[in-house]
Amino acid sequence: MALDKHPVPTNVPKKPLTTANFLLPGANPLSGQSSSPNVSRQNSFGDINRTGSGKSLSTMVNGSDADMVQATSTSKPMFTAQTKAIVWGMQNRAVQGMMDFDHVCSRKEPSVVAMIYPFTGDHKQKFYWGHKEVLIPVYKNMADAMKKHPEADVLVNFASLRSAYDSVMETLKFKQIRCIAIIAEGIPENMTRHMIQVANEKGVTIIGPATVGGIKPGCFRIGNTGGMLDNILSSKLYRHGSVAYVSRSGGMSNELNNIISLNTNGVHEGIAIGGDRYPGTTFMDHVLRYQDDSEVKIIVVLGEVGGIEEYQIVEAVKSQRLNKPIIAWCIGTCASMFTSEVQFGHAGSCANADSETALAKNKALQAVGVHVPKNFDDLGNLIRDIYEQLVKEGSIIPKEEVVPPTVPMDFNWARELGLIRKPASFMSSICDERGQELLYAGMPITDVFKEEMGLGGVLSLLWFQRRLPKYACKFLEMCLMVTADHGPAVSGAHNTIVCARAGKDLVSSLASGLLTIGDRFGGALDAAAKQFTEAYDSGLIPMEFVNSMRKKGQLIMGIGHRVKSLNNPDMRVVILKEYATKHFPCTPLLDYAVEVEKITTSKKPNLILNVDGFIGVAMVDLLRNSGCFTMEEALEFVDVGALNGLFVLGRSMGFIGHYLDQKRLKQGLYRHPWDDISYIMPENLGMPDN
C-alpha cells in the first residue's frame, strides 16, 4: 500500500517562517535547519543496500568501477542561469512568479524577456523585479518577438487546448527555440503526436502537454512550477542541490520538492513531463540527462499506473547505461484493491495490461537494483538514507547555506495576512458588487425585484440609503416622469439637438444638454427648497418673505414661468400637488409656498409656483415628515444637491430622446440662420487722439 503507520513526531525541526512573498523578519534559515540533514545516523546503509550489487554508492555515483559503462554528454544543459524565455499568453501572475524566482536565485536579469498575446496590439506590461518596476514587451505577432529577442531559447506556452497546437507549430518554425513547455491539457492526441514528431525532427525538447513545467533551482523556473514563493523558499529552490527528479504529475512534483529539501541538500533539477497519454519527453529522456550531469548525485523517478516508460529505465540499468543511485516509486498501487479498471486523474494513468500496473513496475524496478521504497510514505526516508551515505563517503559535500535575497511582499497578500493596513482610496456605502449578488444599500438585487420596489425604490436605496414608504417612492417616480422633457426649445434640449446634428455621439450630446442645467434652467430645485425652508423656519410670514427678497434685489427661486400662468396652469404642478396633498402626512412647507404664490400672482399672473419650486418644497416636506429622516439629515440632502438630481435624472431621458429623434430623422449639421441674429458692429474704431 501507499501509506504506513508512524508515531506522531515530537521533535519537529523548525522551518524558516515565510509568507508567499518573502522571509519574515527573524526567519533566518541559517539559524534553524541546517543546509542538509544530520549525517550521524547509524546503520543507514544496511537498510538501503538493496541492489545486491555489492558496490558502494560512491562507486555508482562517480563511475569508478572498471566494468561500468562510461557515458558522457556534450549537450548543452536544458536550463542555465542565463536562460531567457518568451511566454505565450497574458499570464501576468505566472510571469511575476518567474521573475520573483529569478530574483531570489540572484540572477542578474529576469528570465522572461517578452510575452506574446495575439489578441491585442504591441504594448508593455509592468512587473516587479525585486524592489523595482520593469516593463516587459508584449507582441501581437510571434515573429516580432523572436526577431527582437534572439537570445530567448525557451517558450512557455499558456495557450488553451484550442490554440496550443497552432502556437506550438508556429514556434517550431524558429530555430532559436530549444525547449517548449506546453501547460494546456486536453489537446487532441493526434495533434500532440504530430507536434512531438515535428519537434523531434527539429531537435526541440517539449515538456508537456498537461504539465506545470519544470524547475532548475538557482537558474530557471517554468511558469508556476514550485508553487508560491513561500514554498520556493522553504524547499530551498533558490539554489541547486544534488538530487534531480522527474515526475508525471505537476502537483506531486511540488511534493517531491518538499520531500527532497527535508531529506537532502536540495533539488538540482525537477521536471514534470505531463499527465497526457503522449508526453513530449519521457522519463528516460530526463533520466539520461541527469546521468550525464556530474552535479547530479541522486535520481528520483515518480511514475504512476499506466504506460511502460518505467521499463526503459529497467533496461538502461541492466545495460549499465544508468549507474547512479536511482530511487523510484510508481503511484497507483491501490488500483489492485478495485475490482474494475480504474482511471486516475491523468489521461495516461490507466493500466491497460498487467505490466502497466504500479505494482508490476515497482517490482521490475526493484529487481534490477533500483531503490524502491516499501510505500510512498517511506520515500523520504529512503532518499535521506542514500543521501547520508553519499555524504559519509564524500561523494556529496554539503555547502554552507546562503540567505536568499528577500522579495517584497505584494500589498494585497500582506493585507490578506493582516500584516499591514491602509486607508481606502474610496468609500462606498450604497452598493456592493463583491458577493454572490449585487447589493443596493445592503439589499440583494433579487429582493428588489421580488418586492417590486420599482425605480423609486431603487432611488430610495441608492440616494437615501433606506427604504422609503411606497407613497414616497411613487412620488419620486412621478417627479422623473414630469421632468423627463419640456420640448425642443429649452436650452438643454436645444444643445443636445445641435450636438446630435453635428455628428457627436450620444454621451457627448447628452453632456452638452446637461451642462446647461443651473439656476436659470432646471437647477432651481435646491435653491427654491433652501429659500422657502429658511423663510419658514425663521418664522417669516409669506408677505414678509416676499418683501425681504424684493429689498435684497433677489429673485424667489421656483417662482415664475415664461409660458404658464394662473389662467394657463402647468398641469405637471397640478398633478404633483394633488398627489402630495392626498398622500403626504403633512405639507407645511408646500402650504407656505402656495401662500407665497398667491402674493406673487396678484402682482403678475405668470409668477406661479413652477415645477422646480414645487418639487423642491414638496421634497422637503417628504424628507422632514416621512419619519425616515431627522431634521439634520433632511437639510443635508438639500445641501448636497439631491433635489437637483431628480431633475438631472429625469431630463436625461428627454435629452436622450431628442438625440435619438435627430438620428432617426437623419438631420444634418445645424447652422443658425443669419436673419435670426442681430449683428451689431462697433461704430467707431478710430485711433484715440494723442
Side-chain angles (χ1 to χ4, degrees), residues 473-486:
C473 295
K474 176 65 175 177
F475 182 74
L476 294 177
E477 293 178 358
M478 293 176 66
C479 291
L480 297 179
M481 294 166 66
V482 301
T483 59
D485 195 49
H486 203 221

Side-chain angles (χ1 to χ4, degrees), residues 670-684:
Y670 175 79
R671 182 180 177 88
H672 203 71
W674 290 341
D675 57 5
D676 195 36
I677 301 174
S678 179
Y679 293 94
I680 303 175
M681 298 294 104
E683 295 181 358
N684 185 10

Side-chain angles (χ1 to χ4, degrees), residues 61 140 163 239 291 299 303 351 360 426 490 499 524 552 595 618 666 676:
V61 171
K140 180 180 178 67
S163 54
R239 88 291 184 274
Q291 170 67 36
I299 301 173
F426 287 95
V490 297
C499 271
K552 296 177 183 177
E595 293 299 319
K666 296 179 172 55
D676 195 36

Side-chain angles (χ1 to χ4, degrees), residues 46-257:
D47 295 332
I48 65 171
N49 192 7
R50 306 168 187 172
T51 66
S53 64
K55 300 180 180 67
S56 69
L57 286 178
S58 61
T59 300
M60 297 176 67
V61 171
N62 299 318
S64 59
D65 197 326
D67 59 0
M68 285 288 179
V69 176
Q70 297 298 318
T72 59
S73 175
T74 58
S75 62
K76 180 181 178 182
M78 184 177 295
F79 307 122
T80 69
Q82 288 73 44
T83 295
K84 297 295 178 66
I86 296 175
V87 174
W88 199 105
M90 194 60 71
Q91 293 288 329
N92 290 11
R93 187 169 183 177
V95 171
Q96 185 62 68
M98 292 175 68
M99 295 179 65
D100 287 343
F101 175 80
D102 297 338
H103 184 73
V104 298
C105 291
S106 301
R107 281 186 56 138
K108 302 300 182 183
E109 295 178 327
S111 60
V112 180
V113 295
M115 300 170 68
I116 300 172
Y117 194 62
F119 307 108
T120 62
D122 292 358
H123 64 285
K124 293 185 178 182
Q125 287 283 320
K126 183 174 66 175
F127 295 96
Y128 288 104
W129 175 245
H131 297 261
K132 301 186 300 182
E133 290 182 301
V134 296
L135 295 175
I136 300 295
V138 181
Y139 298 96
K140 180 180 178 67
N141 298 315
M142 184 179 293
D144 294 338
M146 297 294 180
K147 181 179 179 180
K148 294 182 179 179
H149 302 280
E151 73 279 14
D153 59 1
V154 176
L155 185 125
V156 182
N157 193 336
F158 281 98
S160 68
L161 64 92
R162 293 176 295 277
S163 54
Y165 173 80
D166 292 333
S167 57
V168 169
M169 296 306 294
E170 183 181 6
T171 305
L172 290 172
K173 297 178 182 178
F174 300 94
K175 296 182 179 180
Q176 70 189 72
I177 298 298
R178 300 172 54 247
C179 176
I180 302 174
I182 307 173
I183 310 302
E185 62 179 323
I187 302 173
E189 292 180 355
N190 62 324
M191 293 183 175
T192 301
R193 296 174 72 177
H194 183 243
M195 285 191 303
I196 296 171
Q197 178 184 357
V198 176
N200 289 339
E201 292 173 356
K202 295 179 177 291
V204 176
T205 299
I206 288 184
I207 300 175
T211 181
V212 70
I215 191 168
K216 187 164 186 179
C219 295
F220 182 71
R221 170 192 190 187
I222 296 175
N224 297 308
T225 309
M228 299 180 70
L229 203 57
D230 58 343
N231 193 60
I232 297 291
L233 295 171
S234 63
S235 298
K236 301 178 182 177
L237 298 176
Y238 49 85
R239 88 291 184 274
H240 68 82
S242 302
V243 183
Y245 71 82
V246 58
S247 166
R248 266 192 172 272
S249 169
M252 291 307 297
S253 68
N254 281 345
E255 181 64 19
L256 283 178
N257 290 329

Side-chain angles (χ1 to χ4, degrees), residues 348-410:
S349 56
C350 179
N352 298 312
D354 290 341
S355 61
E356 295 186 17
T357 64
L359 289 173
K361 291 193 283 188
N362 285 334
K363 185 177 180 180
L365 288 165
Q366 189 171 26
V368 296
V370 174
H371 302 284
V372 178
K374 293 183 298 182
N375 47 54
F376 182 79
D377 200 30
D378 191 43
L379 179 62
N381 296 330
L382 181 56
I383 292 174
R384 180 173 62 244
D385 291 343
I386 294 177
Y387 172 80
E388 290 177 351
Q389 185 63 33
L390 293 177
V391 171
K392 183 178 180 180
E393 295 175 358
S395 297
I396 297 177
I397 302 176
K399 297 180 180 179
E400 183 179 353
E401 194 65 67
V402 178
V403 179
T406 59
V407 176
M409 181 182 291
D410 288 340

Side-chain angles (χ1 to χ4, degrees), residues 480-606:
L480 297 179
M481 294 166 66
V482 301
T483 59
D485 195 49
H486 203 221
V490 297
S491 58
H494 178 83
N495 268 25
T496 301
I497 291 171
V498 172
C499 271
R501 293 179 60 172
K504 303 295 288 185
D505 60 277
L506 186 147
V507 175
S508 301
S509 302
L510 174 62
S512 176
L514 292 176
L515 288 173
T516 65
I517 296 177
D519 290 345
R520 295 187 177 184
F521 168 64
L525 281 75
D526 290 329
K530 290 179 182 179
Q531 286 185 354
F532 281 100
T533 300
E534 290 175 359
Y536 177 80
D537 290 344
S538 62
L540 293 177
I541 62 176
M543 181 60 74
E544 291 175 337
F545 170 55
V546 173
N547 291 336
S548 66
M549 295 300 290
R550 184 172 64 248
K551 290 180 181 179
K552 296 177 183 177
Q554 297 179 359
L555 296 175
I556 301 177
M557 306 305 294
I559 293 292
H561 200 282
R562 292 179 62 86
V563 179
K564 301 299 181 179
S565 64
L566 281 177
N567 302 321
N568 181 25
D570 188 342
M571 293 307 299
R572 299 177 297 174
V573 176
V574 173
I575 294 170
L576 292 176
K577 185 184 294 184
E578 289 178 354
Y579 183 86
T581 54
K582 181 178 179 180
H583 295 91
F584 282 21
C586 57
T587 56
L589 192 61
L590 175 58
D591 297 338
Y592 185 84
V594 170
E595 293 299 319
V596 171
E597 181 188 43
K598 292 178 180 179
I599 298 173
T600 55
T601 53
S602 66
K603 299 179 181 180
K604 201 171 182 179
N606 70 329

